[in-house]
Amino acid sequence: MTPGVTVRTLPDTLMLAEVAADWLDSRIARRPDLTVLVATGQTPMGMYGRLAARVRASTLDCSGVTAVQLDEYAGLPDGDPRSLRDWMMRSFVTPLGIHKVVPLDDPATFTAQVEALGGLDVAILGLGPNGHLGFNEPPCGPDAPTRTVTLTPESLLSNRSYWNGLNVPMQAVTAGMDVILGARETLLLVSGAHKRGILSAALDGPETPAVPASYLRRTALTVFADREARP
Ligand code: F6R
């Protein structure tokens, strides 16, 4: 896939979810054994719900897909309700009937595991309020490896909305920028007026470690944004 950026503004989050589901659906139709890096967070949940409905209606078969975990808080005990892996399992892997999962357990072996699969076909990503991808917090260059990071105040604040009063862990393990930018295609989903400035910085500004998402323009990138994020 040749690098190139496609940006599409959708009227609302419902349309964004539908169009994003169509996008992944068409990739799985072409390649049933697709390897997909999977973001959690709020933005892709509508898309995942649409895909799950198609699987239930037997119009989509994801049984050959491999899901690769994008990030996880560090140091959580098993069964902790804040696990991003559990969120990925209940929002994406289980409802889509996916059997193969590459967890992000050990940063030292993760890249080799992804390479052994032949690399990522697709990375599904949300945009952090500070321009992070996964938990690649700024400043962060394109070669940053899979590693443990300390979360920035912006990320701690935005992640608080996920956990209903529970604390957000201060550290996380993230797939590196090297892994994310190595995907043959990247899909960035963005919604809400609070993301407008950072999306513009990522798409219209210079490539800079201050906005890790600005490096996505090196990839075959599709951006679906609602009208509030990209008027
Ligand atoms: C989640 C993740 C994060 C989010 C980003 C946007 O696995 O890696 O980078 O994608 O923080 O989050 P939402 O979609 O909740 O605004």
Side-chain angles (χ1 to χ4, degrees), residues 73-204:
Y73 299 119
L76 293 184
D78 277 354
D80 191 292
R82 295 165 296 180
S83 163
L84 296 181
R85 179 178 319 163
D86 290 352
W87 191 358
M88 174 184 74
M89 295 302 291
R90 60 177 183 270
S91 64
F92 190 83
V93 172
T94 303
L96 270 60
I98 291 171
H99 310 301
K100 279 173 58 183
V101 176
V102 178
L104 179 46
D105 284 330
D106 179 4
T109 59
F110 181 73
T111 303
Q113 281 181 280
V114 171
E115 277 168 7
L117 290 166
L120 297 171
D121 293 308
V122 164
I124 303 171
L125 302 164
L127 179 64
N130 57 359
H132 74 205
L133 297 174
F135 280 126
N136 288 284
E137 302 281 51
C140 178
D143 301 322
T146 299
R147 67 208 184 284
T148 301
V149 298
T150 298
L151 299 186
T152 58
E154 288 105 315
S155 295
L156 290 170
L157 185 65
S158 71
N159 278 227
R160 267 173 59 181
S161 67
Y162 303 156
W163 309 119
N164 207 14
L166 294 177
N167 286 336
V168 179
M170 306 280 288
Q171 292 201 307
V173 182
T174 184
M177 291 295 287
D178 55 352
V179 173
I180 292 172
L181 299 177
R184 286 183 270 282
E185 283 189 276
T186 51
L187 176 65
L188 181 68
L189 302 179
V190 192
S191 76
H194 63 300
K195 299 272 182 83
R196 188 182 299 171
I198 194 68
L199 179 58
S200 175
L203 295 180
D204 311 319

Side-chain angles (χ1 to χ4, degrees), residues 53-74:
R54 295 177 193 192
V55 169
R56 283 196 302 275
S58 301
T59 57
L60 173 65
D61 178 3
C62 296
S63 59
V65 168
T66 299
V68 181
Q69 189 179 358
L70 172 62
D71 45 17
E72 180 60 287
Y73 299 119

